[in-house]
Amino acid sequence: MPFEIVRQNLCEVTADAVVRFVNTGAGVRVLHRGNLPPGFMAKELEFAFTPRAVVLIEVSLPQGGGGEFKPVLLLAQAYRQALTAAVQEHCGSVAIVWPKFSLPGVSETDLLSILVQGEREFLAEQELWVTLVVEDVRRLRLSDSLINAVSRYIKDHYVQALPREKTGHVLAKMKNFIAPIEEEFVKDEELTDIPAEETCLFRDQEETQTPSDKFYAEPPMRSVDPRLFEQLIAQREESFSESLLRMIDERGMSDPQVYKRANLDRKLFSKIRIQKDYRPSKTTALALAIALELNLDELKVLIGRAGYALTHASKLDIIVEYFIDQGIYDLFQINEVLFAFDQPLLGGRSF
């Protein structure tokens, strides 16, 4: 199941269980909404549970001492125990709350690594929808060298102002791709710009003039030649689903390998496989291309089957292009950077 990062308050997140980090106690403690300990104050409910959650799992840094004490390793083990507890409580989704305080001996970078690596390993074995809830994004720190490298790449490639072309087309900035919008219409409707072999698709029919109105003339009526129309339909290219399944087979990969690497839900992938003309969102198409480790040209072909294109007017597209240029196909790392630049994440709840 997918892993995603959101900038939201916990009360706005839908999840069956909540995992939060605490600076007291040791190990993992599982609490239920209807059976809270006496010391748990009622006013904490709003900040500890999502509206649907009935299970609260607290993770604290195990205490230790001496030279063998490794807080990062111990916290990683405790975090995996928390995810296992969520599965044992029959939870299908869990919200991980980014701590508002510093954990002793664990930096923000170490904590993010624990969460991401823990999700990567755990979700490869279990079916669980995990959401990392970051209420204060200032506490989420990524590698300065990576962020600086991506920032330079965006600065070199990002197009902020889109020019108006002389032909009368306007380049319209849209959410998923750049599409030309016709601004002028050709007055003469003769098919002079269509190749001769295609003009035979239409046959002129006899036209009648209205004698009572000398200013009015019926436009020429054209009908489609069914035989040629069928020939054009037969030349249709592969759909996105057909191209995707072919690429999976060519690489000798299994379906679970692909949808888990793409950070997608199994049900969504089944829908793509069954519905040959299914058109996914752009973030889903990109996630699948990265899961297949396509090069830039192959990626453009695959997402083009779904009607999308890469453009330097989109920071999301530029960031994806940067990672592919660098040969990095780690979707979790890509999503961390997309999150830092306030861009939509790949996979997850996109459809």
Side-chain angles (χ1 to χ4, degrees):
M1 296 286 279
F3 169 68
E4 60 183 358
I5 311 174
V6 298
R7 286 187 181 91
Q8 291 179 328
N9 293 323
L10 184 61
C11 61
E12 300 172 331
V13 177
T14 301
D16 299 327
V18 174
V19 173
R20 70 172 184 175
F21 296 91
V22 296
N23 52 11
T24 58
V28 176
R29 182 171 69 155
V30 179
L31 304 173
H32 296 83
R33 185 189 288 269
N35 188 25
L36 297 173
F40 199 94
M41 301 180 65
K43 66 179 182 179
E44 290 187 64
L45 286 174
E46 180 182 354
F47 305 101
F49 287 93
T50 67
R52 197 178 76 182
V54 295
V55 177
L56 172 64
I57 303 173
E58 293 185 337
V59 180
S60 59
L61 182 66
Q63 303 298 317
E68 297 299 322
F69 181 58
K70 299 179 180 180
V72 173
L73 178 60
L74 293 175
L75 183 60
Q77 294 172 347
Y79 178 60
R80 186 175 179 86
Q81 292 174 13
L83 295 179
T84 301
V87 173
Q88 292 173 346
E89 293 290 336
H90 307 289
C91 297
S93 57
V94 59
I96 313 296
V97 182
W98 187 265
K100 298 181 180 180
F101 54 87
S102 297
L103 297 176
V106 181
S107 66
E108 285 84 357
T109 302
D110 290 335
L111 179 58
L112 182 61
S113 177
I114 290 172
L115 297 180
V116 172
Q117 187 62 29
E119 304 303 341
R120 192 198 314 273
E121 297 173 354
F122 190 81
L123 298 184
E125 306 168 359
Q126 301 288 340
E127 293 289 332
L128 187 66
W129 199 305
V130 181
T131 302
L132 175 59
V133 183
V134 183
E135 296 182 351
D136 185 2
V137 70
R138 293 171 297 181
R139 294 199 58 82
L140 183 61
R141 299 178 183 176
L142 302 177
S143 167
D144 291 337
S145 59
L146 177 59
I147 294 299
N148 291 338
V150 175
S151 297
R152 288 193 299 270
Y153 193 86
I154 292 176
K155 183 179 180 181
D156 293 340
H157 295 83
Y158 187 50
V159 179
Q160 293 186 353
L162 299 177
R164 175 187 291 267
E165 296 187 341
K166 296 180 180 179
T167 59
H169 290 72
V170 176
L171 293 179
K173 185 176 181 182
M174 301 180 68
K175 180 180 179 180
N176 284 328
F177 55 92
I178 300 298
I181 297 179
E182 287 289 352
E183 202 179 48
E184 298 174 353
F185 296 94
V186 180
K187 295 181 180 179
D188 186 4
E189 294 186 353
E190 293 295 329
L191 304 178
T192 56
D193 58 341
I194 299 180
E197 61 271 15
E198 295 185 15
T199 58
C200 60
L201 180 64
F202 301 97
R203 296 197 300 263
D204 289 342
Q205 295 182 339
E206 293 183 1
E207 59 181 279
T208 58
Q209 299 287 343
T210 306
S212 61
D213 188 355
K214 63 180 180 180
F215 298 106
Y216 176 79
E218 285 284 348
M221 299 297 292
R222 296 186 175 93
S223 62
V224 177
D225 186 334
R227 293 169 301 175
L228 294 176
F229 190 72
E230 290 175 0
Q231 293 177 10
L232 292 176
I233 293 297
Q235 297 173 4
R236 182 180 67 92
E237 295 179 339
E238 284 183 320
S239 68
F240 176 85
S241 175
E242 292 168 338
S243 297
L244 173 66
L245 297 179
R246 174 178 55 78
M247 290 178 174
I248 292 174
D249 291 339
E250 290 174 350
R251 285 158 177 77
M253 300 177 69
S254 65
D255 288 357
Q257 282 180 309
V258 174
Y259 70 71
K260 288 183 178 182
R261 290 185 61 180
N263 196 35
L264 294 178
D265 180 23
R266 174 171 50 85
K267 294 180 180 179
L268 172 59
F269 187 85
S270 297
K271 185 182 296 185
I272 296 174
R273 169 174 278 281
I274 295 171
Q275 300 180 16
K276 299 303 181 184
D277 293 323
Y278 183 82
R279 183 174 183 265
S281 67
K282 185 174 183 179
T283 52
T284 294
L286 288 171
L288 288 165
I290 290 171
L292 292 171
E293 297 190 2
L294 303 183
N295 60 39
L296 202 55
D297 290 336
E298 293 170 329
L299 178 143
K300 291 178 180 178
V301 170
L302 180 61
I303 67 173
R305 295 286 191 259
Y308 303 116
L310 293 182
T311 168
H312 284 177
S314 165
K315 290 184 179 180
L316 182 150
D317 291 1
I318 296 175
I319 292 172
V320 170
E321 183 180 304
Y322 167 82
F323 279 98
I324 293 177
D325 284 345
Q326 299 297 314
I328 300 174
Y329 292 92
D330 185 341
L331 197 73
F332 289 90
Q333 186 177 14
I334 296 173
N335 275 343
E336 290 173 25
V337 174
L338 289 172
F339 182 83
F341 284 91
D342 198 22
Q343 297 299 305
L345 306 188
L346 305 185
R349 296 180 190 266
S350 56
F351 297 97

